[in-house]
Amino acid sequence: MDSSSAQEGLRKRPKSSDSDSQDQLTLDTRVVNKIGERNVRIYNLPQRSIRFVKDLVTTLVEEQWRYVLFVFVASYVGSWVFFAGLWYILSYAHGDLIQDSPTGERLGDGVMPCVQGATNFIGFVLFSMETQISTGYGEKVPTEECPESFGLLTIQLIVGLLIDGAILGVVYAKLVRPPQKISEMKFSRRAVICQRDGQLCFVFRICDRKWQHAIETKVTAVLLASRRTAEGEEIEKNESYLKLENDGRLVLLWPVTACHVIDRDSPLYDVSAADLLERKLEIVITITGGTMTTGQINQARTSYVPSEICWGHRFRDIVEYDARKQSYVAVNERMHEIEQVDTPLCSARQLDMLKKRLQRDVKQDRPASARQESSIIFKDNANSDSEAKTADSNV
């Protein structure tokens, strides 16, 4: 790609007046937003409600606290009323609710009623509450007059223990479950494409702002872009993994950069600076690891779209050693800062071809004029990014 085509591609960049509408379109069409939430909705799932009921524990753990508290209160009140109705039916069958109107004495069978002190449904509700949540009875007590009362009393006590155990388990699981993000994981607002050791690289920065850092972290990067197969099939969101250095293993002692080398195996191998402005792609970053306190595995996500990828920039170094404090100091507020660097605007494939051409010219000892022509092409691709840097400098 020569300088004229590169500059022509740069002139296609939208003006500042159109940037807001383009960013809004990008936000609406991206799969994962900046805070890691999926912009995906699935409709017409068969038996969707039944699946939530079947896996009730997981549903309660993932639901908000107000819904969980409502379910707990409803389970308690429902069990009290349900067993109050059973006690009422038992006493009615025994004749304990038949009373003499003038005197108020009980006219039922037996010496004592099945439940002493309960004469109406409200009284049985109070008795049911005492049975399930108290350590002893007051004026309302079960008697040995009805053998059936012992079985009903045992069942209610077991049900009460099950409800208490379920509540404790769900509350504990909600309290100790991992947060939505690993520790206080923070991604850089923008990613950059620059040269490292002569190769184009896609770089982004990750910072763990919490003192108790995540352990065993693994970072993955996936490129989502449309692709047409040889048979003509259009794949809307084709997944292509970007290989990261050290297989994505990071030690988050301070803000670190994750790097993907754009080589011949990279899906970005044919993407130039001008192509990046026109391509509809999204790079989803996922970091997986465990918390030091509980050891549970969780993950955090973010994504980068073309408007958030700065070609010809690199991250500033924000880690330095403080001799007075005798420790390394990392300024968290500066983790988003980038600086401009000389970077070819051509794709990685074209850059490799230019390098091979220059090396071949040197080996063949071609005239200086021919080598100068090749070097001018390389220089034009390396230095024609000044306009791109100016357009992307508002970070």
Side-chain angles (χ1 to χ4, degrees):
M1 181 179 66
D2 55 9
S3 60
S4 60
S5 60
Q7 293 176 359
E8 181 181 356
L10 291 175
R11 285 194 293 269
K12 295 180 181 180
R13 176 181 292 273
K15 302 296 183 180
S16 59
S17 59
D18 300 334
S19 60
D20 294 339
S21 60
Q22 183 182 12
D23 292 342
Q24 182 64 33
L25 178 62
T26 304
L27 292 175
D28 294 339
T29 57
R30 69 195 310 164
V31 178
V32 178
N33 59 20
K34 298 299 291 184
I35 62 176
E37 295 178 351
R38 295 183 302 171
N39 188 23
V40 178
R41 299 291 183 270
I42 302 178
Y43 295 100
N44 299 329
L45 286 177
Q47 299 180 348
R48 180 179 180 181
S49 302
I50 298 179
R51 293 178 182 178
F52 285 105
V53 175
K54 288 182 177 180
D55 196 3
L56 184 59
V57 176
T58 304
T59 302
L60 292 177
V61 171
E62 295 180 352
E63 279 295 338
Q64 300 181 11
W65 277 104
R66 56 177 178 267
Y67 299 112
V68 176
L69 295 178
F70 173 78
V71 171
F72 290 162
V73 172
S75 63
Y76 274 122
V77 174
S79 64
W80 295 339
V81 174
F82 174 74
F83 282 101
L86 295 181
W87 285 109
Y88 185 89
I89 295 174
L90 179 62
S91 298
Y92 181 83
H94 191 257
D96 298 339
L97 304 181
I98 303 175
Q99 297 179 352
D100 187 11
S101 301
T103 61
E105 295 182 357
R106 187 179 65 88
L107 301 178
D109 300 334
V111 180
M112 295 181 298
C114 295
V115 178
Q116 184 72 38
T119 58
N120 51 34
F121 185 76
I122 301 299
F124 284 103
V125 172
L126 296 176
F127 169 75
S128 179
M129 295 173 60
E130 292 180 4
T131 301
Q132 197 162 325
I133 65 175
S134 64
T135 58
Y137 291 102
E139 296 181 354
K140 300 176 177 60
V141 295
T143 63
E144 63 274 13
E145 182 68 24
C146 300
E148 301 86 354
S149 62
F150 295 100
L152 183 57
L153 182 63
T154 303
I155 295 174
Q156 183 172 3
L157 292 176
I158 293 175
V159 171
L161 291 175
L162 291 177
I163 295 177
D164 294 339
I167 291 176
L168 291 176
V170 172
V171 171
Y172 177 78
K174 288 182 69 67
L175 292 177
V176 302
R177 69 172 179 169
Q180 296 296 328
K181 298 181 181 180
I182 303 176
S183 298
E184 290 293 333
M185 203 61 58
K186 184 178 181 181
F187 298 91
S188 57
R189 288 192 293 265
R190 292 179 181 266
V192 298
I193 293 180
C194 60
Q195 277 189 302
R196 285 188 175 181
D197 299 326
Q199 291 182 300
L200 290 177
C201 299
F202 172 80
V203 184
F204 56 93
R205 178 175 278 172
I206 303 174
C207 174
D208 192 351
R209 298 177 293 177
K210 199 171 183 179
W211 176 253
Q212 296 178 346
H213 299 283
I215 57 178
E216 292 294 331
T217 55
K218 177 71 178 294
V219 183
T220 58
V222 181
L223 174 66
L224 302 179
S226 59
R227 183 178 71 90
R228 184 177 294 277
T229 63
E231 295 75 15
E233 179 185 0
E234 184 72 21
I235 302 177
E236 177 62 25
K237 295 295 181 182
N238 182 65
E239 297 182 3
S240 302
Y241 279 84
L242 306 181
K243 184 179 180 180
L244 301 178
E245 290 184 343
N246 300 323
D247 293 330
R249 300 287 182 180
L250 299 178
V251 180
L252 297 176
L253 298 178
W254 47 57
V256 297
T257 55
C259 176
H260 164 68
V261 179
I262 306 177
D263 52 13
R264 60 179 63 254
D265 297 327
S266 172
L268 300 175
Y269 191 56
D270 294 319
V271 178
S272 63
D275 296 335
L276 186 63
L277 300 176
E278 301 175 355
R279 292 277 301 270
K280 292 183 179 180
L281 56 86
E282 180 179 357
I283 300 178
V284 179
I285 308 299
T286 304
I287 178 169
T288 306
T291 57
M292 295 183 64
T293 54
T294 61
Q296 294 177 331
I297 303 299
N298 46 64
Q299 64 177 209
R301 288 177 304 197
T302 190
S303 68
Y304 298 101
V305 292
S307 61
E308 299 168 346
I309 301 175
C310 299
W311 194 292
H313 291 74
R314 67 183 177 191
F315 288 100
R316 295 182 183 273
D317 188 10
I318 61 175
V319 180
E320 58 184 12
Y321 185 79
D322 193 339
R324 295 181 301 174
K325 298 181 180 179
Q326 295 184 353
S327 62
Y328 288 92
V329 177
V331 183
N332 181 62
E333 290 76 9
R334 296 176 53 196
M335 71 165 294
H336 304 290
E337 294 184 2
I338 60 178
E339 58 184 0
Q340 300 178 1
V341 291
D342 291 334
T343 305
L345 293 179
C346 61
S347 63
R349 180 186 295 274
Q350 294 172 329
L351 182 61
D352 290 342
M353 294 175 60
L354 290 173
K355 288 181 180 180
K356 291 180 180 179
R357 182 177 178 181
L358 289 175
Q359 292 176 357
R360 185 173 59 253
D361 292 345
V362 173
K363 289 181 179 180
Q364 295 178 358
D365 195 16
R366 297 182 60 182
S369 59
R371 294 200 303 267
Q372 185 178 6
E373 180 183 356
S374 298
S375 63
I376 290 175
I377 297 176
F378 178 78
K379 185 176 180 181
D380 289 340
N381 285 277
N383 296 330
S384 60
D385 59 344
S386 58
E387 297 184 12
K389 297 173 185 176
T390 304
D392 290 333
S393 61
N394 298 324
V395 180

